[in-house]
Amino acid sequence: MLICEVIGHVWATKKQEGMEGFKLMVVREVETNTHRGDTFVAADTVGAGIGEHVLVVDGSTARRALGGDDFVVDCAIVGIIDSIELKRENNPKLHI
Amino acid sequence: MLICEVIGHVWATKKQEGMEGFKLMVVREVETNTHRGDTFVAADTVGAGIGEHVLVVDGSTARRALGGDDFVVDCAIVGIIDSIELKRENNPKLHI
Amino acid sequence: MLICEVIGHVWATKKQEGMEGFKLMVVREVETNTHRGDTFVAADTVGAGIGEHVLVVDGSTARRALGGDDFVVDCAIVGIIDSIELKRENNPKLHI
Amino acid sequence: MLICEVIGHVWATKKQEGMEGFKLMVVREVETNTHRGDTFVAADTVGAGIGEHVLVVDGSTARRALGGDDFVVDCAIVGIIDSIELKRENNPKLHI
Amino acid sequence: MLICEVIGHVWATKKQEGMEGFKLMVVREVETNTHRGDTFVAADTVGAGIGEHVLVVDGSTARRALGGDDFVVDCAIVGIIDSIELKRENNPKLHI
């Protein structure tokens, strides 16, 4: 799972039926000192809000998160992060 | 899903049967301040035009978007983006 | 699908049975102004030749392109590109 | 499989049912001289502890590692590394 | 498939049952002038030795290479490369 921040919403009127009924959020991978985060769109399944840090799955796992294998969504928010505890010594600089 | 811009068309006369009947579009991931967008080819399923911003899925999800698991296409346009609303404070600089 | 150029051949005598009978080509993703192309090996299914630009699929889609889900090949050439038409104004500099 | 170091824990109270019961660890790919390691979240299946080097699988393989195809987890720790032996001459500089 | 060099071994005593019986090799993608190779761990299925160049598959294809869909391995060596022939003019500088 990726650690992402919810940074916005996307609206798409003209879309496939298999995308109907999902709230589409813009999420951005949290930046670390070794990786600059990508930005993409995920269907929300847990009621995540703007500014929250979330766990995001992709591919066939995202379809299962939405409740069926026929959805045409390949990215989903599956959890809202309460806290992250990182070991001190190597200071990974997770920018949360 | 990736946020892409439709930037062109591809023609391929000699191709697998499982690719017949789809309009093949060149799409480019929208560039952000942390990621330079890749360029690839997606089958259109929603009537997207050049210059429009679209939602793109890949892998097995793309095959489902095309209506069957036996197509040999691994990337599909599944929605046309009307608008994107991003939270102000961290200014993600999504170049749309 | 990725837009690649066929740049060579690979020979492998000692290999899994599920790889027998395919012509293995070295393909390289076409470089754009935002992405430097990766190089990998794809099984040819359409008679592509050295120097041609082709459409390449990967993962489970590649196995379907080869005609069965049990092949141990995860990358396949599925079409030969005749031409690419890109919109003028943003000049994506696709190096073909 | 990726070679990762376990660097922390994640807590998420609000999450999908298919994520319940797994210990969620923050893992970071080991950095080499050609690749800067990404950071992500994996479900632990082998009792890995902070600071240990582990083998991590993703996608549909991760679901199998968890014991069922319906889990909504796409990344799992499947082994704890005892030792790595690298050939001397090209000095890959695996930073373990 | 990726073109990799076998550069070492990994030992992991504590691991999932679905990983038992496979020789785990450290492989590194061959570096080209446009891509710096990643390093990861693949299960050997063809008797590859240190220093050999091999073809590597990942994801669900790797499980098939191992002989069953329930293995928890997502990367496998499926062929040993005898030779690579690249076209002269664009000098891809494949560092083999």
Side-chain angles (χ1 to χ4, degrees):
Chain A
M1 287 79 69
L2 298 176
I3 302 172
C4 295
E5 186 185 356
V6 182
I7 63 168
H9 296 276
V10 166
W11 283 271
T13 309
K14 201 170 181 180
K15 57 177 180 284
Q16 285 236 346
E17 278 184 32
M19 292 189 78
E20 300 286 347
F22 301 113
K23 202 168 176 181
L24 300 176
M25 318 293 275
V26 184
V27 297
R28 188 173 50 182
E29 245 187 294
V30 168
E31 190 176 340
T32 65
N33 60 348
T34 58
H35 183 68
R36 309 197 72 187
D38 295 348
T39 299
F40 38 86
V41 174
D44 181 30
T45 71
V46 289
I50 300 288
E52 284 188 301
H53 287 91
V54 293
L55 292 169
V56 171
V57 294
D58 72 357
S60 53
T61 307
R63 295 198 304 268
R64 276 158 185 78
L66 298 173
D69 200 41
D70 291 326
F71 293 111
V72 297
V73 170
D74 63 0
C75 192
I77 299 172
V78 294
I80 298 173
I81 294 174
D82 299 320
S83 65
I84 298 179
E85 184 184 298
L86 296 178
K87 69 171 186 172
R88 182 80 60 94
E89 60 263 48
N90 64 1
N91 188 23
K93 285 188 192 140
L94 204 59
H95 298 144
I96 292 186
Chain B
M1 287 78 70
L2 298 176
I3 303 172
C4 295
E5 185 185 359
V6 182
I7 62 167
H9 296 277
V10 166
W11 284 271
T13 310
K14 200 171 182 180
K15 58 177 179 283
Q16 285 236 344
E17 277 184 31
M19 294 188 78
E20 301 285 347
F22 301 113
K23 202 167 174 183
L24 301 175
M25 318 294 275
V26 184
V27 297
R28 188 173 51 182
E29 246 188 294
V30 168
E31 190 176 339
T32 65
N33 60 348
T34 57
H35 183 67
R36 311 196 71 187
D38 295 348
T39 300
F40 38 87
V41 175
D44 181 30
T45 71
V46 289
I50 300 288
E52 284 188 301
H53 287 91
V54 293
L55 292 169
V56 171
V57 296
D58 73 357
S60 53
T61 306
R63 294 198 304 267
R64 276 158 187 76
L66 298 173
D69 201 41
D70 291 326
F71 293 111
V72 297
V73 170
D74 63 1
C75 192
I77 299 171
V78 294
I80 298 174
I81 295 175
D82 299 319
S83 65
I84 297 180
E85 184 183 300
L86 297 179
K87 68 170 187 174
R88 181 79 62 93
E89 60 263 47
N90 64 0
N91 188 24
K93 285 186 192 143
L94 204 59
H95 298 143
I96 292 186
Chain C
M1 286 80 68
L2 297 176
I3 303 173
C4 295
E5 185 184 358
V6 182
I7 62 167
H9 296 278
V10 166
W11 283 270
T13 310
K14 200 170 181 179
K15 58 177 179 283
Q16 285 236 344
E17 278 183 32
M19 294 188 77
E20 301 285 348
F22 301 113
K23 202 169 175 182
L24 300 176
M25 318 294 275
V26 184
V27 297
R28 190 173 49 182
E29 246 187 295
V30 168
E31 190 175 339
T32 66
N33 61 347
T34 58
H35 182 68
R36 311 197 70 188
D38 295 346
T39 299
F40 37 87
V41 174
D44 181 30
T45 71
V46 289
I50 300 288
E52 284 188 302
H53 286 92
V54 292
L55 292 170
V56 170
V57 295
D58 72 358
S60 53
T61 307
R63 294 199 304 268
R64 275 158 186 76
L66 298 174
D69 201 40
D70 290 326
F71 293 111
V72 296
V73 170
D74 63 0
C75 191
I77 299 171
V78 294
I80 299 173
I81 295 174
D82 299 321
S83 64
I84 298 179
E85 184 183 299
L86 296 179
K87 69 170 187 173
R88 181 79 62 92
E89 61 263 46
N90 64 2
N91 187 24
K93 286 188 192 141
L94 204 58
H95 298 143
I96 291 186
Chain D
M1 287 78 71
L2 297 176
I3 302 172
C4 295
E5 185 184 358
V6 182
I7 62 167
H9 296 277
V10 166
W11 283 272
T13 309
K14 201 171 182 180
K15 59 178 179 283
Q16 285 235 345
E17 277 184 33
M19 294 189 76
E20 301 286 347
F22 301 113
K23 201 168 176 181
L24 300 176
M25 317 293 275
V26 184
V27 297
R28 189 172 51 182
E29 246 189 293
V30 168
E31 191 176 338
T32 66
N33 61 348
T34 57
H35 183 67
R36 310 197 71 188
D38 295 348
T39 300
F40 38 87
V41 175
D44 180 31
T45 72
V46 289
I50 300 288
E52 283 187 301
H53 286 91
V54 293
L55 292 170
V56 171
V57 295
D58 72 358
S60 53
T61 307
R63 295 198 304 268
R64 276 157 185 77
L66 298 174
D69 201 39
D70 291 326
F71 293 111
V72 296
V73 170
D74 64 1
C75 191
I77 299 171
V78 294
I80 298 174
I81 295 175
D82 299 320
S83 65
I84 297 179
E85 184 184 300
L86 297 178
K87 69 170 186 172
R88 183 81 60 93
E89 61 261 48
N90 64 2
N91 189 21
K93 284 187 193 143
L94 204 58
H95 297 145
I96 292 184
Chain E
M1 287 78 69
L2 298 176
I3 302 172
C4 295
E5 184 185 359
V6 182
I7 63 167
H9 296 277
V10 166
W11 283 272
T13 310
K14 200 170 182 181
K15 59 177 179 285
Q16 285 234 347
E17 277 183 33
M19 293 189 77
E20 301 285 349
F22 301 114
K23 202 169 175 181
L24 300 176
M25 317 294 275
V26 185
V27 297
R28 188 173 50 182
E29 246 189 293
V30 168
E31 190 175 339
T32 66
N33 61 348
T34 58
H35 183 66
R36 310 197 71 188
D38 295 347
T39 300
F40 37 86
V41 175
D44 181 31
T45 72
V46 290
I50 300 289
E52 284 188 302
H53 286 91
V54 293
L55 292 170
V56 170
V57 296
D58 72 357
S60 53
T61 307
R63 294 198 304 268
R64 276 158 186 75
L66 298 174
D69 201 39
D70 291 325
F71 292 111
V72 296
V73 170
D74 64 0
C75 191
I77 299 171
V78 294
I80 299 174
I81 295 175
D82 299 320
S83 64
I84 297 179
E85 184 183 299
L86 296 178
K87 69 169 187 172
R88 182 80 61 95
E89 60 263 48
N90 63 2
N91 188 22
K93 286 186 192 144
L94 204 58
H95 297 144
I96 291 185

